[in-house]
Amino acid sequence: MLKSILRTAAVAASFSMVSLSAGVSPVLAETLPTANEMFAKMGFGINIGNTMEVPVNPTWWGNKFPTEAYIDSIKAAGFSTVRIPCAWYSHSNAMSRDSSKADIVPGGGPNEIAASWMDSVQTVVDMCMRAGLVTILNIHWDNGWLEGKLNDTDKDAVNARQKDFWTQIASHFKNYNENLLFASANEPATTDDNYKHETEILMTYHQTFVDAVRATGGNNGSRTLIIQGPSTSIDRTSEVMTVDKLPKDVVENRLMVEVHFYDPYTYTLLNDVVDWGAQVYPRYYWGDDLATGDDIVHNCGYNAWAGAMGDPCTSAQIQDQFGKMKKNFVDKGVPVIIGEFGANDRVEVLTGDKYAKHRKGRLAYYDAVMKLAKENQVVPIAWDTGHEGENNMTIIRRQTEPDGSVFDMDILNIMRNAYGLGNYVNNGITHIEGFGGPTGIVTATPARVNLGRIVRVGNRLESDSDIALFDMNGALVCRGTRSLSLENLPLGIYFAKSRGDLIKVNVR
């Protein structure tokens, strides 16, 4: 038997999952702040990477489901913005299981998102909103259903799915306040030979996104929306996705542009030697403190084709890139986010003096990115996957204990100091309620929690119909006919569904 009784989402307003049919009045739409007014609130941010965007199961890539302690720690660390990369396709009946070709969610339309997954995402969004973070929710790579299909053959099907998904997502969150932003995609992939035409196709996907969100009404009528450049490349975005080519909107000044920054790739992400007509080694050393002798091949700026050191990597290259975004977008009234940036920490790859030299350059790299992002008025959002071993970019701990503690204090303080916050001191946070939501509060009593059709009595759920219990990933746990026991279940969060009612159940 469980050591403590089951508590449902009805006890907490921010996690209530009861339908509006229970008598809750709809939230009236507001005119939300402009994109530039939102930019002023965003400061610098961090990604909840390798989690909600993992196809099928958010725990498969090493992270547990986000906890409130972790989310609150993000705010306490000084971040004002959080980006939630998110998968939807693999949680819908649009994707079939390879073995049986059966729909993941039987019934419904061809692009229907599982209700249990929508509520899992809401759980994370609500924690971020309660922490007072500007929260960016996107459609991430997600098996490449959009990002790998910038072509004429697939564009009609992609646009249909884009419309279906964003109609469902936006409808679910339409009453949330201005601190929730939607982002159309992640890194829509273009090719070197055809990127101009591929960008034209990409813009139809973005237009579909804008139109679908606006059509849902509520606060989505004026919510700030984020548009990704081709390959999220600064050069390509500046060249072929100029301000005049952004999607048409029914409301002015509510669009932002997103690019990513992992320049140079050989320094930030390359982990193994590659043959690009010459043997190109990962670059470990950035800035002024460079290696000599045989290790010169690992210097950022080394020319593998010439077999000699070229121009060292400095902040001048970063300024060149960020300056393009300021000139082409910020100065023309369109805010910019650097949705991802970072450089691998070569801990365990290098040791001793070599690692110390690398570490010094990496700190200088983050310092340059942060200071130049602030100077050029773009929002820097660090990529963070939770991984703590070699080649990590983790700042806030979530794979080991204590959950939410600072993993890389040096990087965090560099980010804070660039924005005038001083070194990290955890003064805690104050939760913010009343950020909006799709549902209202249901009154609870100690003995019996009335949740519309579903009623809880002790460690049992009752209903006037069949009850199905799902885990956070949308997998069916058990069923009951008018009654369902909650005893002997693993501790955690579940979702119970009976006819049209869906509630969140926390077993502790």
Side-chain angles (χ1 to χ4, degrees):
M1 180 176 289
L2 298 175
K3 293 182 179 180
S4 59
I5 65 171
L6 171 131
R7 294 185 300 172
T8 70
V11 180
S14 61
F15 296 119
S16 175
M17 294 310 306
V18 185
S19 67
L20 285 171
S21 61
V24 181
S25 299
V27 178
L28 296 178
E30 303 176 19
T31 299
L32 302 186
T34 66
N36 274 298
E37 289 170 330
M38 289 307 304
F39 165 81
K41 301 170 63 173
M42 293 175 74
F44 58 95
I46 193 169
N47 280 269
I48 306 176
N50 283 15
T51 308
M52 303 305 287
E53 82 273 29
V54 180
V56 181
N57 188 328
T59 67
W60 278 357
W61 291 356
N63 291 306
K64 58 188 174 186
F65 196 86
T67 65
E68 189 167 65
Y70 164 65
I71 300 298
D72 287 355
S73 295
I74 289 174
K75 180 65 175 179
F79 297 98
S80 297
T81 297
V82 65
R83 180 172 177 262
I84 308 173
C86 197
W88 301 95
Y89 174 70
S90 59
H91 298 278
S92 77
N93 60 357
M95 189 178 90
S96 297
R97 297 186 181 96
D98 290 338
S99 58
S100 65
K101 302 300 181 186
D103 289 336
I104 284 181
V105 184
N111 297 308
E112 182 181 338
I113 298 167
S116 55
W117 178 247
M118 186 74 78
D119 295 316
S120 294
V121 175
Q122 185 195 332
T123 297
V124 181
V125 169
D126 284 0
M127 287 190 289
C128 294
M129 298 286 281
R130 290 185 74 234
L133 292 158
V134 176
T135 303
I136 299 170
L137 181 63
N138 80 352
I139 288 181
H140 213 68
W141 174 76
D142 206 8
N143 288 285
W145 69 265
L146 181 153
E147 301 191 355
K149 296 185 182 297
L150 304 186
N151 60 70
D152 291 305
T153 300
D154 294 308
K155 68 179 181 181
D156 289 343
V158 171
N159 269 312
R161 183 166 294 147
Q162 178 84 326
K163 179 180 179 181
D164 287 349
F165 281 174
W166 276 114
T167 297
Q168 293 169 78
I169 298 165
S171 294
H172 190 84
F173 292 102
K174 70 179 182 179
N175 293 331
Y176 281 61
N177 69 21
E178 70 274 11
N179 284 341
L180 179 60
L181 311 184
F182 296 145
S184 177
N186 173 47
E187 292 179 345
T190 55
T191 62
D192 292 344
D193 295 334
N194 200 30
Y195 68 89
K196 292 183 179 180
H197 181 56
E198 289 162 345
T199 300
E200 292 173 353
I201 295 171
L202 171 62
M203 297 315 295
T204 71
Y205 300 164
H206 289 328
Q207 187 66 61
T208 295
F209 158 69
V210 172
D211 293 344
V213 172
R214 296 292 182 234
T216 61
N219 285 342
N220 291 334
S222 56
R223 188 177 309 283
T224 291
L225 306 178
I226 304 174
I227 306 302
Q228 293 65 44
S231 300
T232 51
S233 158
I234 289 176
D235 288 335
R236 287 188 183 174
T237 300
S238 300
E239 179 189 354
V240 297
M241 201 185 82
T242 49
V243 167
D244 61 299
K245 293 181 180 178
L246 291 177
K248 305 303 178 187
D249 201 356
V250 295
V251 59
E252 294 183 344
N253 303 319
R254 296 307 195 281
L255 298 181
M256 290 184 177
V257 166
E258 177 179 356
V259 290
H260 295 174
F261 187 75
Y262 292 110
D263 290 356
Y265 169 81
T266 53
Y267 173 72
T268 62
L269 294 173
L270 183 66
N271 295 332
D272 301 303
V273 181
V274 292
D275 188 345
W276 291 338
Q279 293 291 105
V280 178
Y281 289 78
R283 313 303 197 216
Y284 299 147
Y285 313 111
W286 187 92
D288 298 329
D289 197 8
L290 300 176
T292 58
D294 293 341
D295 211 24
I296 190 175
V297 297
H298 294 295
N299 285 339
C300 191
Y302 178 78
N303 188 328
W305 295 267
M309 187 64 197
D311 294 331
C313 297
T314 68
S315 61
Q317 291 100 331
I318 301 173
Q319 171 55 38
D320 176 70
Q321 291 289 286
F322 289 4
K324 290 176 183 177
M325 297 309 294
K326 185 174 189 300
K327 175 183 177 181
N328 292 301
F329 294 97
V330 175
D331 291 348
K332 295 180 180 180
V334 179
V336 171
I337 70 167
I338 309 297
E340 297 178 16
F341 82 90
N344 283 339
D345 190 321
R346 310 297 181 164
V347 62
E348 299 180 15
V349 176
L350 302 174
T351 59
D353 291 342
K354 289 184 177 181
Y355 178 71
K357 188 185 295 290
H358 158 75
R359 179 72 176 174
K360 180 179 178 182
R362 184 171 180 264
L363 296 179
Y365 177 84
Y366 272 80
D367 185 60
V369 168
M370 292 300 297
K371 289 177 177 177
L372 290 171
K374 189 171 190 297
E375 181 180 321
N376 288 280
Q377 300 169 36
V378 298
V379 180
I381 306 176
W383 184 244
D384 186 316
T385 67
H387 167 60
E388 297 181 11
E390 64 181 47
N391 296 316
N392 77 76
M393 296 185 192
T394 295
I395 301 170
I396 304 294
R397 181 178 280 107
R398 55 196 167 110
Q399 291 189 352
T400 58
E401 297 298 329
D403 187 36
S405 60
V406 178
F407 176 74
D408 196 326
M409 189 66 75
D410 291 335
I411 293 293
L412 177 60
N413 282 334
I414 281 171
M415 299 181 78
R416 289 175 56 90
N417 285 314
Y419 278 69
L421 298 183
N423 286 345
Y424 170 78
V425 177
N426 187 351
N427 294 317
I429 69 166
T430 300
H431 280 155
I432 298 171
E433 307 296 350
F435 49 78
T439 59
I441 306 170
V442 174
T443 303
T445 63
R448 186 177 180 92
V449 182
N450 191 333
L451 299 164
R453 184 170 290 112
I454 304 175
V455 175
R456 178 201 140 229
V457 180
N459 282 331
R460 188 174 74 256
L461 297 180
E462 296 181 354
S463 174
D464 59 5
S465 185
D466 291 346
I467 306 171
L469 193 70
F470 300 89
D471 66 18
M472 292 292 286
N473 302 313
L476 180 66
V477 176
C478 55
R479 290 183 183 273
T481 300
R482 301 196 174 193
S483 180
L484 184 65
S485 173
L486 299 166
E487 294 185 5
N488 301 317
L489 286 174
L491 303 187
I493 298 172
Y494 300 85
F495 294 92
K497 186 173 184 179
S498 181
R499 291 191 183 178
D501 287 346
L502 182 73
I503 66 165
K504 187 165 81 171
V505 179
N506 195 348
V507 178
R508 293 180 178 174

